[in-house]
Amino acid sequence: MGVVVVSGIRLYREMLAKFLSSASIDVRACCESLDELPGPDVTDVILLHDGEVFGQILQDIRTVRARSPQAPIILVVPADRYEELRAVLWRDVSAIISDDSAADTLVGAVRVVQAGFAVMTPQHRTPSEIIFPPGAAISGRQRGGARSRPLNLSPQESRILSRLVAGGSNKDIANELGICETTVKVHLRACYEKIGAKNRTQAAMWAAAHLDQPS
């Protein structure tokens, strides 16, 4: 599953496409408007950079749904409208990203959505608490379960988590850090418990939002 970048601002869409490509994400197309979407039924992730007019955002979402009902949508919105728009649109898209988010956070969100998950709740949650299959119910236990877990990552655990964002395998991480692959697995199991993640995808999303990424 690739990504189609849609933005009316040429510099913005070209920069997004270049950055995502540099992160080994397959950018299938770069469009000025939804009218330029390739094919009648796109199934790739649509990364939609939209304006501040709520009515236009809703219309754009409807346009995508009418043309490509299976395509996941990631909406990039102005930072000062983020909380308002998320509270209203969280059921309609797979993710909403503020335009002042770190670039690695966007990469993490794209990878989570490509894996078939949504990154949305009606209220603020940490990334380890908000990843769930699209359409799944969010129980009180799911919403609050991870928050009670201690967050006392060791320096090595932080280094290992930060490398998940780039999609590194256990073997890749072991080679980069000069440790054995079994040690990486042990550290990851400890990390999952500490941050409330259930798998690598959730852990990568958490790391993208909370940890400095290796240069």
Side-chain angles (χ1 to χ4, degrees):
M1 179 183 291
V3 175
V4 176
V5 178
V6 183
S7 173
I9 302 173
R10 179 178 179 180
L11 180 62
Y12 195 93
R13 65 177 179 270
E14 291 184 356
M15 289 179 65
L16 276 176
K18 184 175 181 179
F19 175 76
L20 292 174
S21 295
S22 72
S24 301
I25 291 174
D26 181 16
V27 177
R28 302 285 177 85
C30 200
C31 306
E32 181 177 358
S33 72
L34 294 174
D35 293 335
E36 299 177 4
L37 287 178
D41 188 12
V42 177
T43 57
D44 296 313
V45 176
I46 296 178
L47 181 60
L48 177 60
H49 173 229
D50 226 322
E52 298 187 19
V53 181
F54 180 68
Q56 183 59 51
I57 294 174
L58 281 177
Q59 183 56 50
D60 286 345
I61 292 172
R62 293 189 188 108
T63 297
V64 174
R65 289 286 171 252
R67 180 170 179 174
S68 305
Q70 301 304 314
I73 300 173
I74 298 178
L75 192 62
V76 181
V77 299
D80 60 353
R81 301 288 310 281
Y82 174 68
E83 296 293 343
E84 170 195 356
L85 292 173
R86 180 182 57 188
V88 177
L89 299 175
W90 72 279
R91 293 183 183 276
D92 299 307
V93 297
S94 295
I96 295 182
I97 305 295
S98 166
D99 63 9
D100 68 350
S101 298
D104 284 333
T105 299
L106 175 62
V107 171
V110 169
R111 288 188 170 131
V112 166
V113 172
Q114 285 180 320
F117 292 84
V119 193
M120 291 303 305
T121 61
Q123 300 174 349
H124 177 70
R125 302 288 172 189
T126 61
S128 63
E129 294 175 289
I130 65 177
I131 303 172
F132 53 91
I138 312 170
S139 68
R141 182 177 180 182
Q142 287 175 303
R143 288 179 177 178
R147 187 163 295 174
S148 62
R149 292 185 174 90
L151 182 58
N152 53 344
L153 297 174
S154 70
Q156 186 74 307
E157 288 169 346
S158 295
R159 284 189 286 269
I160 289 172
L161 277 179
S162 68
R163 282 159 175 79
L164 290 184
V165 178
S169 65
N170 288 351
K171 184 177 181 180
D172 294 334
I173 295 171
N175 290 337
E176 185 174 352
L177 297 180
I179 58 179
C180 68
E181 190 172 347
T182 302
T183 301
V184 174
K185 293 179 182 178
V186 171
H187 280 307
L188 280 176
R189 283 197 294 269
C191 291
Y192 291 171
E193 177 63 26
K194 290 178 180 181
I195 67 176
K198 295 181 179 179
N199 51 50
R200 293 175 74 89
T201 300
Q202 291 186 1
M205 186 62 188
W206 186 95
H210 290 84
L211 300 177
D212 292 333
Q213 304 307 313
S215 57

